């Protein structure tokens, strides 16, 4: 036991004291914060106004297009779009218009006299003005509503301005067609008004919860476990191959049994992973708590899933189960190969198994009580990812959680036993990669 603890301590310190561990631990919360802050900063950057010429010989659609591109009209459309989502708009139209104005300062309508000029002359003059940077774009309105609009722009990549212009043109054409058909636009708008449906989920205690927040939280938890298992599985693989390449295993085997070395390595690196995961969970909890204090964001977070300390405990427990399952597989792979490059090739199958479990978590979110959700949250290799998601979505009966823990614990014992028999022989084999018949022979004879 003393030797085992010494190996655990050594492996734990070797991982935790690395700069890569410290950078990775700090980088993940910063990345999460960046995903929330960076888009807001990008959208706060003010763009240059688009100087545009609208050529409308008939004079019917031009004024409507200009009206549709006004900040007030754009803000109204954005508010209507938000109403069709699960979140109600929390800003007034003026604030909404200001936020869109940060993306693009809007449109500046440049004067142009098209009277008495042919289409070729108009295009030639406007192209010359664009080349001289006097204008940024121009729109030619056809005389017939069924004709093709021509929009040419120096800012071909400005998808925001192009999208707003397209919406404005479509709205103007629709309004003109309604006028020609003697149909009131307000009447048609009232007829086409969509019904408002507020979608919420109900937990096992009969409490309401926000389904969108549940999906986001479940995705974050599943992704966090998947990334952690992938990272620390690769750490185990690299550590085993490194000891094999440096031939330090011969010295280590003279001081401790191979099983103690392997188990100590798994436990030490696993504790390091648990430390990092604990820091991530704490950082996430502090970030959510801070956001809850912001009055503007409180309505969005009010319906977030109710996470109890017991859920956090289950989360960390299933991480450990998944870690020991996959770490033993990676340790087995490391015992078989001779270089890290070879190990990376053989590491693809267990990573794919983890990825399948991550994809199954979406099925669990859709229906946590379905037979599929039950079996994938019990099955080894998938339960460490799917069961925490299921617990968050709708906590199953305790006997199902206990059954999942027991089944995966038995799977861990089998994998550790299998890995130990390969580890004790494979670590002393140099020069060539072990074949499957050789590995089977080690398992039977070790």
């Amino acid at each position: 036991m003393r030797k085992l603890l010494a190996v655990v301590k050594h492996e734990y310190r070797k991982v935790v004291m690395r700069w890569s561990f410290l950078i990775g631990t700090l980088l993940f919360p910063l990345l999460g914060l960046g995903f929330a802050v960076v888009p807001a900063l990008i959208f706060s950057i003010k763009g240059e106004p688009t100087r545009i010429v609208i050529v409308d010989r008939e004079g019917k659609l031009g004024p409507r297009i200009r009206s549709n591109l006004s900040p007030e009209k754009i803000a109204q459309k954005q508010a209507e779009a938000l109403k069709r989502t699960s979140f109600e708009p929390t800003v007034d139209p003026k604030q909404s218009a200001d936020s869109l104005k940060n993306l693009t300062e809007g449109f500046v309508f440049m004067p142009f006299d098209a009277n008495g000029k042919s289409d070729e002359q108009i295009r030639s003059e406007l192209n010359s003005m664009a080349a001289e940077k006097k204008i940024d774009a121009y729109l030619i309105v056809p005389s017939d509503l069924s004709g093709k609009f021509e929009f040419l722009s120096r800012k071909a990549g400005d998808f925001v301005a192009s999208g707003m212009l397209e919406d404005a043109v479509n709205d103007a054409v629709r309004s003109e067609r309604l006028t020609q058909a003697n149909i009131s636009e307000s009447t048609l708008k009232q007829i086409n008004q969509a019904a408002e449906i507020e979608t919420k989920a109900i937990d096992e205690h009969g409490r309401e919860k926000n389904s969108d927040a549940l999906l986001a939280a479940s995705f974050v938890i599943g992704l966090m476990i998947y990334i952690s298992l992938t990272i620390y599985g690769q750490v185990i693989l690299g550590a085993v191959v490194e000891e094999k390449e440096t031939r330090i295993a011969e010295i280590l085997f003279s001081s401790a049994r191979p099983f103690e070395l392997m188990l100590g390595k798994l436990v030490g690196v696993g504790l390091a992973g648990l430390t990092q995961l604990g820091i991530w969970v704490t950082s996430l909890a502090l970030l959510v708590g801070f956001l809850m204090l912001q009055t503007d964001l409180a309505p969005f977070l009010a319906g977030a899933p109710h996470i109890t300390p017991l859920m956090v405990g289950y989360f960390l427990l299933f991480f450990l189960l998944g870690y020991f399952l996959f770490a033993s597989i990676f340790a087995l792979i490391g015992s078989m190969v001779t270089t890290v490059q070879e190990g990376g090739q053989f590491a693809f199958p267990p990573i794919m198994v983890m990825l399948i479990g991550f994809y199954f978590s979406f099925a669990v979110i859709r229906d946590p009580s379905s037979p599929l959700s039950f079996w994938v949250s019990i099955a080894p290799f998938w339960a460490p990812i799917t069961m925490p998601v299921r617990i968050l979505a709708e906590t199953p009966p305790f006997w199902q959680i206990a059954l999942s823990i027991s089944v995966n614990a038995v799977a861990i014992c089998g994998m550790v036993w299998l890995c130990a028999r390969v580890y004790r022989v494979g670590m002393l084999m140099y020069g060539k990669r072990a074949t499957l018949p050789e590995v089977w022979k080690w398992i039977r004879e070790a």
Side-chain angles (χ1 to χ4, degrees):
M1 179 60 70
R2 183 173 59 85
K3 295 180 180 180
L4 176 63
L5 294 177
V7 175
V8 170
K9 181 180 178 181
H10 170 73
E11 295 295 334
Y12 179 82
R13 289 175 58 88
K14 187 172 70 172
V15 174
V16 173
M17 299 306 293
R18 287 180 178 176
W19 280 106
S20 59
F21 178 87
L22 299 177
I23 294 175
T25 303
L26 297 175
L27 188 61
F28 189 84
L30 290 178
L31 285 176
L33 184 62
F35 277 115
V37 175
V38 171
L41 293 177
I42 292 176
F43 283 108
S44 67
I45 300 175
K46 292 185 177 182
E48 295 294 329
T50 300
R51 297 166 300 174
I52 186 173
V53 171
I54 298 180
V55 180
D56 182 16
R57 294 180 183 273
E58 302 295 328
K60 295 181 179 179
L61 295 180
R64 292 185 177 184
I65 294 175
R66 293 185 181 91
S67 175
N68 291 338
L69 290 175
S70 64
E72 295 77 12
K73 193 75 172 182
I74 294 174
Q76 180 183 356
K77 289 191 60 123
Q78 187 191 39
E80 293 174 354
L82 286 173
K83 284 183 179 181
R84 291 193 293 267
T85 64
S86 57
F87 297 113
E88 292 292 333
T90 57
V91 296
D92 57 34
K94 183 178 183 303
Q95 291 176 328
S96 181
D98 292 340
S99 65
L100 280 172
K101 200 174 181 182
N102 289 333
L103 276 177
T104 174
E105 281 290 321
F107 295 86
V108 176
F109 302 102
M110 306 296 292
F112 181 79
D113 186 9
N115 293 328
K117 298 178 183 179
S118 64
D119 293 342
E120 290 75 12
Q121 289 178 325
I122 292 174
R123 292 188 183 90
S124 178
E125 291 184 21
L126 291 176
N127 287 336
S128 299
M129 294 175 64
E132 297 172 2
K133 298 184 178 180
K134 294 180 179 179
I135 63 172
D136 298 313
Y138 65 88
L139 175 70
I140 298 179
V141 180
S143 56
D144 186 3
L145 292 180
S146 60
K148 183 182 295 184
F149 288 79
E150 296 183 44
F151 176 66
L152 288 86
S153 175
R154 292 176 49 248
K155 301 179 179 179
D158 191 353
F159 62 91
V160 176
S162 300
M164 283 195 271
L165 180 66
E166 183 178 352
D167 291 341
V169 170
N170 287 326
D171 289 344
V173 171
R174 182 167 51 251
S175 298
E176 180 63 22
R177 287 172 178 169
L178 290 174
T179 301
Q180 293 179 359
N182 295 322
I183 300 176
S184 171
E185 187 174 356
S186 59
T187 302
L188 184 65
K189 183 178 180 180
Q190 184 178 3
I191 294 174
N192 292 333
Q193 185 175 5
E196 295 186 10
I197 302 177
E198 185 177 10
T199 304
K200 290 186 178 181
I202 303 176
D203 62 14
E204 64 277 8
H205 301 293
R207 295 176 301 194
E208 295 181 355
K209 54 186 179 182
N210 191 300
S211 57
D212 295 309
L214 173 62
L215 176 61
S218 302
F219 174 80
V220 169
I221 285 181
L223 183 63
M224 192 179 298
I225 294 180
Y226 168 72
I227 292 177
S228 302
L229 294 180
T230 304
I231 291 175
Y232 285 99
Q234 298 281 359
V235 170
I236 286 291
L237 174 62
V240 172
V241 176
E242 180 184 3
E243 291 180 357
K244 193 172 183 179
E245 287 180 334
T246 56
R247 300 196 176 187
I248 197 175
E250 298 176 356
I251 301 175
L252 296 175
F253 284 179
S254 64
S255 303
R257 292 183 302 164
F259 180 77
E260 291 178 334
L261 292 173
M262 186 203 68
L263 188 60
K265 187 180 297 295
L266 295 180
V267 174
V269 177
L271 290 177
L274 195 63
T275 301
Q276 188 175 58
L277 202 60
I279 295 174
W280 288 350
V281 171
T282 303
S283 302
L284 184 62
L286 293 176
L287 177 62
V288 172
F290 172 76
L291 294 177
M292 286 293 292
L293 298 177
Q294 308 301 313
T295 55
D296 294 338
L297 297 175
F300 293 95
L301 299 175
H306 183 64
I307 300 178
T308 64
L310 181 61
M311 289 182 179
V312 177
Y314 282 142
F315 173 66
L316 298 177
L317 175 60
F318 277 97
F319 163 76
L320 285 178
L321 292 175
Y323 164 78
F324 279 106
L325 271 173
F326 287 99
S328 57
I329 296 177
F330 282 108
L332 186 147
I333 294 174
S335 304
M336 295 170 53
V337 301
T338 57
T339 63
V340 177
Q341 289 75 15
E342 290 181 356
Q345 297 174 359
F346 285 92
F348 182 72
I351 291 178
M352 285 301 300
V353 172
M354 283 188 281
L355 187 60
I356 292 173
F358 176 67
Y359 286 146
F360 270 132
S361 63
F362 291 98
V364 173
I365 295 173
R366 290 182 59 189
D367 190 358
S369 302
S370 67
L372 176 62
S373 299
F374 170 79
W375 288 111
V376 298
S377 63
I378 300 297
F381 306 108
W382 293 336
I385 298 178
T386 55
M387 181 56 88
V389 173
R390 188 182 177 200
I391 291 174
L392 181 62
E394 182 180 318
T395 304
F398 176 75
W399 70 268
Q400 295 185 12
I401 300 176
L403 177 62
S404 178
I405 295 173
S406 303
V407 170
N408 283 269
V410 172
I412 289 173
C413 293
M415 287 304 305
V416 171
W417 174 85
L418 183 66
C419 178
R421 298 179 76 85
V422 176
Y423 182 85
R424 62 188 301 178
V425 180
M427 288 299 292
L428 298 177
M429 183 177 178
Y430 305 105
K432 64 182 293 288
R433 186 179 62 212
T435 62
L436 292 179
E438 288 175 335
V439 173
W440 177 246
K441 182 180 178 181
W442 298 346
I443 295 173
R444 290 188 293 112
E445 298 180 356

